[in-house]
Amino acid sequence: GHHQSQRSKIEVLPISWHHVVHNRQTGVEAKLRRITLPSVPRMRDIANNLVGDVIYYSSGKYQHRILSSVASQMNAAVEEFRVTNRIPADDAIPVSILGHSLGSVIC
């Protein structure tokens, strides 16, 4: 018989959660600036972002915000993919999730 070939493609859709913690409403950036020593500013910024994000994620208040934001963005990305590629909502589509650093914990 004749087999219809299906085109497969991989599409990478980034999800960003950093803004959930680091924005003007939370005041995180201002708080970090007040307690950060002025020496080696670039290194301090990196440390504040990396270590600070782990600390904020460990707190229930920010963890919930981060997880909610990631889940919402992922659902929106899948829906946009469906609409763009004309895939009916009833059809299952394979989705793989890849996280880096703290993102791998969030996933």
Side-chain angles (χ1 to χ4, degrees):
H2 176 67
H3 289 88
Q4 183 178 1
S5 66
Q6 289 184 327
R7 285 183 27 189
S8 295
K9 67 178 181 176
I10 295 174
E11 193 163 332
V12 178
L13 305 171
I15 304 296
S16 174
W17 57 269
H18 192 261
H19 67 280
V20 173
V21 175
H22 299 270
N23 62 53
R24 288 183 182 193
Q25 290 176 328
T26 63
V28 168
E29 296 296 327
K31 291 173 189 172
L32 284 174
R33 274 194 301 276
R34 281 198 306 268
I35 63 171
T36 300
L37 297 173
S39 62
V40 198
R42 287 197 173 210
M43 189 61 86
R44 301 272 185 196
D45 285 343
I46 291 169
N48 284 348
N49 280 317
L50 297 177
V51 176
D53 286 347
V54 171
I55 292 169
Y56 287 114
Y57 183 76
S58 298
S59 78
K61 177 181 175 181
Y62 290 108
Q63 184 181 50
H64 178 72
R65 287 183 188 180
I66 292 167
L67 292 174
S68 293
S69 175
V70 168
S72 176
Q73 290 181 68
M74 288 174 70
N75 288 331
V78 169
E79 182 58 29
E80 183 179 338
F81 181 84
R82 283 185 182 284
V83 169
T84 301
N85 294 285
R86 298 185 180 110
I87 301 171
D90 298 358
D91 289 0
I93 57 172
V95 174
S96 297
I97 301 170
L98 174 68
H100 174 265
S101 192
L102 181 57
S104 63
V105 175
I106 294 169
C107 290

